[in-house]
Amino acid sequence: MKSLEELRRLRETLQQDMLARNGDGNPRIIVGMGTCGIAAGAREVMQAIMQQVRERNITVTISQTGCIGMCEKEPLMDVQLPGKGRITYGHVTPKDVESIIVQHVINGQIVEDLVVARLEEGEGQ
Amino acid sequence: MKPTFYRSHVLICTGTGCKSSGASQIEAVLAKELEKHNLQDEIKVVETGCHGFCEKGPIMIVYPEGVFYCRVKPDDVGQIVEEHLLKGRIVDRLLYQELHTEASIPTYREIDFYKKQHRIVLANCGRIDPESIEEYIAVGGYEACGKALTEMTPEEVIAEVKSAGLRGRGGAGFPTGLKWELTRKTPSDKKYIICNADEGDPGAFMDRSLLEGDPHRIIEGMIIGAYAIGADEGYIYVRAEYPLAIHRLQIALNQARKYGLLGEDIFGSGFNFDLHIKKGAGAFVCGEETALMASIEGKRGMPRPKPPFPSVSGLWGKPTNINNVETFGNVPYIIKNGAEAFRSVGTEKSAGTKVFALTGKINNTGLVEVPMGMTLREVIYDIGGGVTGGKALKAVQIGGPSGGCIPAELLDIPIDYESLNEVGAMMGSGGMVVMDETTCMVDVARYFLQFTQSESCGKCTPCREGTKRMLEILDRICSGEGQPGDLELLEELGNHIKDTSLCQLGGSAPNPVLSTLRYFRDEYEAHINDKRCPANVCAGMGAPYVIDELTCIGCSLCARFCPMDAISGDKKKPHKIDPEQCIACGVCAGKCPVHAISQAS
Ligand SMILES: Cc1cc2nc3c(=O)[nH]c(=O)nc-3n(C[C@H](O)[C@H](O)[C@H](O)COP(=O)(O)O)c2cc1C
């Protein structure tokens, strides 16, 4: 360690590692992992999300949820940006994941064609 | 390179407490289950230090949610993986249940045990992998060290620690900044800094947990201290009975060297510093600073008179600064956040927090960190969950063998150095033993004195001979042979030993006796005058027991438990105790379902 700057740069890169533990205030991605979701391919969607997040080095919190009663629209994937409503995408394929992440998570543009439900901020949870 | 982002982190406590309740086995099963479900690339398993809630171990925390699973068994792991990690469904039956309402509490932030704590020193304990310097750096570690070495002069560092009001956490509460200044001001070509991790108090595990859970914090605190006083070499004195702490410290030292945080020209500041671990053999007296230094020098661990103080002539005659583990653990926080932030917690004269090891008859055994000034009642009832089995609290023993017993009436005193001294206890290093109505205070005093007596190094007469005489008197009292005048003699002896001993081992050894004499004199008197132990703990006190023939139902339970076979009688007929054989242990009276047995008066 030759300077305080060096430590701070190192910390930046290491923080990615700790994301899952300091997730408050990050964009959230939620995948429906009920039996229905898994049967419809939610595991593959999850793996695609993981791959995207790693490749693009973005800051998010990923969690799962159980069946929410929209079984016919599974796999479901929700995106919630800080301070924004929660958008639910349906019939998500691993291929859709990239556009949802790039357009919505990174650039804040909702991918309208895939939306199946919306929750305003503070609603539901 | 292995992927760095994992959507979920599973933290398993691998402190000594949880390890002994089976954490390693859980980890092995977890690894297998994750592979079975092909989750090993999505979920990271992290071994952490102590979460503090040892009562509930093995403990597992699942992030991002922060869900707290307790008393996890290997058989539970499959369900956690399949339900929670795969499907996102929390496994209710493994959640912590609120003591009084029995409601399940999902995340650890909401558990009463954690809510009232204020974690400065323990902030990372149970949150990061203590064997990873990268995790420590990621949560802001070594920033304080970098700041001190590159942006502050040693004098500024000392001024900051002084104005923070940090006092030594090893027992006496000496102002840390002042100690550093004294060592800095002694001119010398060589100085040392020492971390005292001897932790000899029975029942104490604060320092061990800190070293096991966040070793880099202590190293960072020591580097800052070394820079402040101008030392280029340091020692961490740990007892050999702490193998996990030593193992993790060793790893941490190697990592710090690899990153250039120990060694030469740290942070490009021109400052050089390195550290050694010295394993102690576990004698209580070696926690005393001059004995500790003798031990490092390879001599027999015995104290010497002071002055000269270590700041003038310490290790190998060189100016030396010695601080406790927890003291060093506070330093990075102070440098990083400023004296003001530190002083905003705690009281005027006792700034910051204190870590306690909660043990004894308390529901939530474990490690807690609370702001100074909190009352004992809050710690014991709000955090500790109260006395086990709903029994009445009798006393709290604070400060270990050097401390004292505080009676239930004084539970509302604030925890700070001065208040504890006033009531005859002391902060000590942080042992807090809760005692209920079934505890005999004379027996407790005897227990602690037995400890100090056997740990007395024998160098000075008051401690060597005096504690022995005191113990003989206590032994006598506990076996029903106390005499009038014993209590006065105990007090006289105790005060002399305190005044004339060479070090604070003798200087504080009488405290448990003197404080119980002060608050529980009636119990001593009952032992001496009535030959009776009010808590029914001291066996063999007084007259033999007798069975009331009219009440006895002849169940023979008493006869089966009598250790002397002193009870006889036919089934369904009244039994009899042979007074010649009865040792008055009272076991029979405790077993009798109809309360037919009592001591003859
Ligand atoms: C018998 C005896 C045992 C002690 N044991 C310890 C100990 O285990 N750990 C500790 O930090 N201080 C212990 N001390 C206090 C040390 O002598 C010394 O005051 C302390 O390490 C200073 O650090 P501090 O100013 O950070 O509290 C002990 C003192 C005595 C008299």
Side-chain angles (χ1 to χ4, degrees), chain B residues 168-170 179 196 199-200 284 287-289 323-324 327 504-505:
Chain B
R169 302 294 195 240
K179 200 190 265 187
N196 188 342
E199 195 166 55
F284 180 56
E288 195 282 334
E289 53 195 23
N323 281 119
N324 168 258
T327 312
Q504 279 304 308
L505 195 157

Side-chain angles (χ1 to χ4, degrees), chain B residues 182-371:
Chain B
L182 293 171
T183 320
R184 166 134 207 108
K185 284 190 172 154
T186 312
S188 175
D189 55 339
K190 177 91 190 172
K191 292 180 191 176
Y192 293 99
I193 192 159
I194 298 175
C195 174
N196 188 342
D198 190 58
E199 195 166 55
D201 295 13
F205 51 92
M206 300 76 53
D207 295 344
R208 188 197 73 209
S209 304
L210 194 47
L211 290 172
E212 286 177 2
D214 199 7
H216 284 288
R217 174 184 294 267
I218 308 307
I219 295 173
E220 183 176 7
M222 288 190 77
I223 302 173
I224 296 169
Y227 173 72
I229 65 166
D232 64 356
E233 202 175 345
Y235 284 87
I236 305 176
Y237 189 90
V238 203
R239 56 177 49 225
E241 286 131 89
Y242 285 180
L244 185 61
I246 293 170
H247 173 71
R248 290 195 170 147
L249 262 177
Q250 197 63 63
I251 292 173
L253 288 179
N254 291 340
Q255 290 171 338
R257 286 189 194 113
K258 201 181 101 205
Y259 276 92
L261 292 160
L262 286 174
E264 297 194 345
D265 194 22
I266 304 168
F267 283 109
S269 64
F271 176 67
N272 309 330
F273 180 64
D274 211 339
L275 267 171
H276 317 278
I277 297 175
K278 167 75 189 173
K279 288 186 238 176
F284 180 56
V285 75
C286 285
E288 195 282 334
E289 53 195 23
T290 59
L292 186 151
M293 290 186 295
S295 168
I296 293 179
E297 291 172 5
K299 303 186 186 125
R300 185 166 173 180
M302 280 187 165
R304 59 154 177 82
K306 290 185 280 191
F309 288 96
S311 58
V312 174
S313 173
L315 193 58
W316 288 296
K318 302 293 180 189
T320 301
N321 182 88
I322 174 162
N323 281 119
N324 168 258
V325 175
E326 191 183 333
T327 312
F328 281 122
N330 277 293
V331 169
Y333 180 89
I334 293 170
I335 298 301
K336 195 163 144 196
N337 301 283
E340 206 52 51
F342 185 78
R343 263 212 323 269
S344 72
V345 178
T347 68
E348 170 89 33
K349 284 190 176 164
S350 304
T353 60
K354 179 75 192 83
V355 181
F356 287 100
L358 271 184
T359 52
K361 305 281 175 62
I362 188 154
N363 279 313
N364 299 338
T365 303
L367 194 70
V368 304
E369 180 174 355
V370 297

Side-chain angles (χ1 to χ4, degrees), chain B residues 139-156:
Chain B
V139 296
Y142 288 111
E143 170 81 17
C145 171
K147 181 175 164 188
L149 267 53
T150 63
E151 294 172 359
M152 297 168 86
T153 63
E155 288 76 13
E156 282 168 341

Side-chain angles (χ1 to χ4, degrees), chain A residues 9-55:
Chain A
R9 275 198 308 274
L10 176 66
R11 183 162 68 229
E12 293 270 296
T13 60
L14 293 175
Q15 265 162 354
Q16 176 81 0
D17 228 0
M18 298 296 284
L19 269 185
R21 264 172 276 172
N22 303 317
D24 300 345
N26 292 338
R28 297 209 303 148
I29 300 177
I30 304 142
V31 184
M33 278 287 172
T35 311
C36 48
I38 293 177
R43 287 288 305 142
E44 290 72 24
V45 170
M46 176 65 91
Q47 277 153 3
I49 295 171
M50 291 290 300
Q51 194 190 350
Q52 284 295 322
V53 171
R54 280 178 183 153
E55 273 175 14

